[in-house]
Amino acid sequence: MAEGDAEEREILAFVQALKRLHGYDFSQYAPASFKRRLRALRARCGADSIAGLGRRLEREPAFLRQVLSGLSVPVSEMFRDPWVFQALRRDVLPVLASYPRIHIWQAGCAHGEEVYSLAILLQEEGLYDKSQIFATDFNDVALEEAAEGIYPAASARTYAENYLQAGGRGSLSQYFHARYERIKFEESLKRNITFAGHNLGTDGVFAEVQLILCRNVLIYFNDTLQDRVLRLFRDSLVHKGFLCLGAKETLARTPVERDFECFDAQARIYRRGSA
Amino acid sequence: MELSSGSPGRVVAIAASSGGVAALGEVLRALPADYPWPVIVLLHNSDAYPGSRLDQLLGRACALPVREAEARLPLAAGIVYLAPAGYHLLVEQDLRFALSVDQKVAYVRPSADVLFDSLADACGAAAVGVILTGSNEDGAAGLTAIRARGGLAIVQDPSEAQAPQMPEAALRLASAEVLDLAGIGVRLAALPGAPA
């Protein structure tokens, strides 16, 4: 137990140092998975303790990049949970089509896999030219990578299968170029995407949107931060706007539960009510 | 540690892979309807059972209600919780569930290493980790973490396991009680009444 308590203290000190030195605040992350990532980072860096990671951060500012990529960005895939993208294509986009301009917020876009999935969806439904996607993350390193749109070629097969299961109208390969061990998505897919820094823990409403995608982000937050973010989403959506969460995330038992109605239970798509 | 019932208790976590559905059924069948602790079941590739949903499959074998574990829900006594497919399942210090989509551990997600590590942190000596049949090495490191915090480790006898690799890997790393499936059921059922 004493050993565990010592580690808890080191984690707390590390989180405080990261906030003090660089302004990144992980204090409201769900502790168990955060601890696991921190331990993995410690092992990967060959540090003897989490306190050792903190000391390195103090004397080596460039270490931040490695810390951030280890701590904040889960790996995703394109068209992950294909049935969700199928539901968006079939049931949500036709509603969005009635707006003269479509504004979409992808919150916590990480490496951007879902942003490009969304752009392809809009393109194939003939809606992309009147759409604007705001892809935000608080992690500048992830945003840079998302804006590049480069992924390992080894993933292409899974992505392509997901794309077809999601109702893709062509072949995913028409949207990227394969080179060496990498695939790079077409520049033109980015034409209506704005990548921007936004911190769900501290920043506020920046646009009024008709659809928010935020999948598998809230599971990493504690209750306080989750509730803050859900209120932010509520306040950013137009009347009857859509919120799409991760397959195991829910508005049930949250403070905004009554502000939304369930639109598609399996795909976890909710719709802003009039409350 | 105290569970929601107010009485001191433990948390049982059982991991299985290939051959796991039948093995889990046999172990869970031994637990009485008034089992006083939460039981967490982690099966690799549980999404490979479409049409015959795992909760119903195990629910028929077992006197306890079987449910999928949900993020943020507190662990309650007398319920069998299934780790959802495609997510790591963790237990927080306040004995609520958490999920993550972090990269696979030991080539799998959900991973027993992830679950057991978190359980060791959250429950210390009150954690009970069980490894059943499986053809990979997931769970061995996690079981070691449970033992390091004074928790109880039980491993299915590799000689009777449909796939012996997972029990063998666990026994290479962690000191554990080795029992056959029937013995594991009996041991888990008797544990609440046993002197601490």
Side-chain angles (χ1 to χ4, degrees):
Chain A
M1 271 305 169
E3 187 191 327
D5 292 345
E7 191 186 28
E8 296 298 328
R9 280 195 299 276
E10 290 185 17
I11 292 171
L12 193 62
F14 181 82
V15 167
Q16 285 166 348
L18 196 54
K19 186 175 177 186
R20 175 169 45 82
L21 296 167
H22 297 286
Y24 285 100
D25 185 0
F26 286 89
S27 63
Q28 298 197 86
Y29 273 56
S33 57
F34 181 75
K35 181 193 282 183
R36 181 155 197 105
R37 287 179 179 184
L38 205 48
R39 284 174 176 166
L41 180 70
R42 182 196 61 71
R44 223 171 22 251
C45 297
D48 53 1
S49 66
I50 286 165
L53 287 180
R55 285 191 293 275
R56 186 167 167 198
L57 197 62
E58 296 268 2
R59 61 167 194 270
E60 191 188 323
F63 183 47
L64 174 67
R65 204 178 168 87
Q66 204 176 338
V67 169
L68 284 184
S69 64
L71 289 190
S72 64
V73 186
V75 188
S76 187
E77 52 189 56
M78 293 197 69
F79 298 98
R80 174 183 221 142
D81 305 327
W83 70 86
V84 173
F85 286 89
Q86 195 170 37
L88 289 171
R89 186 194 288 269
R90 187 188 57 223
D91 302 324
V92 174
L93 294 194
V95 179
L96 298 190
S98 63
Y99 291 96
R101 295 281 304 161
I102 301 171
H103 294 106
I104 298 174
W105 179 13
Q106 164 94 51
C109 69
H111 291 157
E113 293 92 338
E114 300 210 332
V115 187
Y116 292 103
S117 307
L118 206 53
I120 290 170
L121 217 58
L122 290 161
Q123 174 118 324
E124 293 191 352
E125 298 307 311
L127 299 173
Y128 195 39
D129 284 326
K130 66 168 180 173
S131 298
Q132 176 67 48
I133 306 175
F134 303 103
T136 67
D137 204 284
F138 85 126
N139 177 345
D140 297 333
V141 178
L143 272 178
E144 281 171 30
E145 293 182 19
E148 285 179 350
I150 296 174
Y151 303 98
S155 312
R157 191 167 166 174
T158 309
Y159 293 179
E161 285 169 5
N162 286 353
Y163 163 80
L164 288 176
Q165 286 175 34
R169 297 191 191 280
S171 158
L172 187 65
S173 60
Q174 74 201 69
Y175 298 104
F176 63 73
H177 307 283
R179 217 172 162 191
Y180 305 109
E181 301 298 304
R182 300 267 187 276
I183 57 172
K184 181 171 181 10
F185 280 88
E186 266 180 34
E187 286 295 316
S188 69
L189 274 182
K190 275 188 266 186
R191 66 188 186 276
N192 292 335
I193 302 174
T194 304
F195 292 96
H198 181 278
N199 188 332
L200 291 170
T202 51
D203 293 335
V205 174
F206 65 91
E208 190 168 70
V209 301
Q210 293 111 359
L211 166 64
I212 295 174
L213 249 87
C214 184
R215 305 180 64 229
N216 297 318
V217 174
L218 298 177
I219 48 173
Y220 291 103
F221 294 169
N222 71 11
D223 292 356
T224 312
L225 183 53
Q226 172 194 249
D227 293 350
R228 176 193 200 277
V229 173
L230 287 175
R231 287 193 186 95
L232 183 61
F233 289 167
R234 178 195 61 197
D235 298 341
S236 300
L237 281 171
V238 300
H239 177 59
K240 293 288 180 188
F242 296 92
L243 170 63
C244 181
L245 299 178
K248 299 297 175 189
E249 292 166 331
T250 176
L251 292 185
R253 303 176 296 272
T254 72
V256 303
E257 187 174 6
R258 287 156 165 264
D259 301 329
F260 287 85
E261 54 202 49
C262 184
F263 181 76
D264 183 327
Q266 203 210 1
R268 301 292 162 120
I269 299 172
Y270 297 87
R271 199 160 187 196
R272 181 81 168 89
S274 50
Chain B
M1 186 200 63
E2 299 223 321
L3 286 170
S4 45
S5 64
S7 64
R10 311 184 80 156
V11 177
V12 178
I14 310 174
S17 191
S18 29
V21 177
L24 283 166
E26 190 164 346
V27 170
L28 294 176
R29 187 173 298 128
L31 304 182
D34 61 350
Y35 200 64
W37 302 333
V39 178
I40 307 169
V41 166
L42 184 150
L43 181 70
H44 300 148
N45 303 318
S46 62
D47 51 355
Y49 298 88
S52 58
R53 288 180 48 200
L54 189 64
D55 54 347
Q56 295 166 359
L57 217 60
L58 292 178
R60 280 198 291 275
C62 169
L64 300 168
V66 179
R67 289 185 203 149
E68 187 170 277
E70 281 185 63
R72 302 176 202 276
L73 278 194
L75 280 69
I79 294 178
V80 174
Y81 294 99
L82 295 182
Y87 288 76
H88 289 306
L89 178 65
L90 303 95
V91 176
E92 297 282 5
Q93 303 274 4
D94 62 2
L95 293 182
R96 297 196 299 161
F97 285 114
L99 297 173
S100 102
V101 283
D102 282 5
Q103 58 201 108
K104 293 177 178 180
V105 171
Y107 307 103
V108 287
R109 189 179 54 215
S111 152
D113 281 338
V114 174
L115 174 63
F116 286 5
D117 280 352
S118 74
L119 200 62
D121 286 338
C123 300
V128 181
V130 183
I131 298 267
L132 305 180
T133 170
S135 49
N136 55 45
E137 305 205 337
D138 182 36
L143 204 61
T144 310
I146 286 179
R147 288 293 296 134
R149 298 290 179 92
L152 179 64
I154 302 174
V155 173
Q156 183 184 7
D157 184 345
S159 69
E160 74 138 23
Q162 186 178 323
Q165 291 89 336
M166 208 157 96
E168 282 168 355
L171 291 173
R172 272 198 301 277
L173 233 56
S175 59
E177 296 180 16
V178 181
L179 296 165
D180 62 13
L181 286 177
I184 292 171
V186 169
R187 178 81 170 105
L188 291 178
L191 207 49

